[in-house]
Amino acid sequence: EQREAWVSERRAQVGKRPQDLHVVSGMAWDYMKELTKMSGMEGEDFLEYSRRLALVEEIYGDRVARRPILPWDDDSYRRCEYSVDWAAGTWQVS
C-alpha cells in the first residue's frame, strides 16, 4: 500500500512525462539486489545471485563502453558476442 501510494503520488507529480519515472538510474544493480533480498532470498542463494548479477553488470558496462557517443558512428558493439563461465565468474567478448 505504501509503495502504491508513493507511485500514485509520483505519477501525479510527473504528469504526462513518463520518461521522468526512471528513478533508480545508476543504482539499478543495487536496487535489484535489495529487492531480491527483501523477497526472502538469503545465504548462499543470495550470494550466488549477487555474483551472477555482478557478472551481468560487468558485461553491461562493457557494452556501454563500446557504444559510440554519436548514433551514426561505428556500431560494431552490436555484433559483440559474450561468452560467460558462470561457475568461474569470468566472461569473454568476441
Side-chain angles (χ1 to χ4, degrees):
E1 290 180 354
Q2 182 181 10
R3 180 73 175 162
E4 289 176 4
W6 180 89
V7 170
S8 295
E9 182 183 342
R10 182 72 177 140
R11 282 188 175 159
Q13 291 174 358
V14 169
K16 298 206 181 289
R17 294 184 46 88
Q19 67 269 28
D20 293 338
L21 288 175
H22 188 81
V23 294
V24 292
S25 186
M27 302 180 311
W29 305 103
D30 290 334
Y31 185 62
M32 284 189 277
K33 287 196 315 191
E34 181 183 336
L35 288 176
T36 302
K37 197 167 204 174
M38 288 171 57
S39 76
M41 185 182 287
E42 305 178 321
E44 190 58 38
D45 288 340
F46 181 73
L47 291 175
E48 182 59 33
Y49 169 79
S50 296
R51 282 190 288 269
R52 187 177 182 95
L53 190 62
L55 280 175
V56 172
E57 182 180 7
E58 284 180 33
I59 293 167
Y60 175 78
D62 184 75
R63 202 266 321 153
V64 168
R66 292 171 185 273
R67 187 181 68 195
I69 294 173
L70 300 173
W72 51 82
D73 284 342
D74 180 26
D75 72 343
S76 61
Y77 79 100
R78 294 178 186 268
R79 291 178 291 284
C80 290
E81 292 189 27
Y82 291 87
S83 301
V84 181
D85 182 336
W86 299 105
T90 59
W91 56 271
Q92 296 179 351
V93 63
S94 57

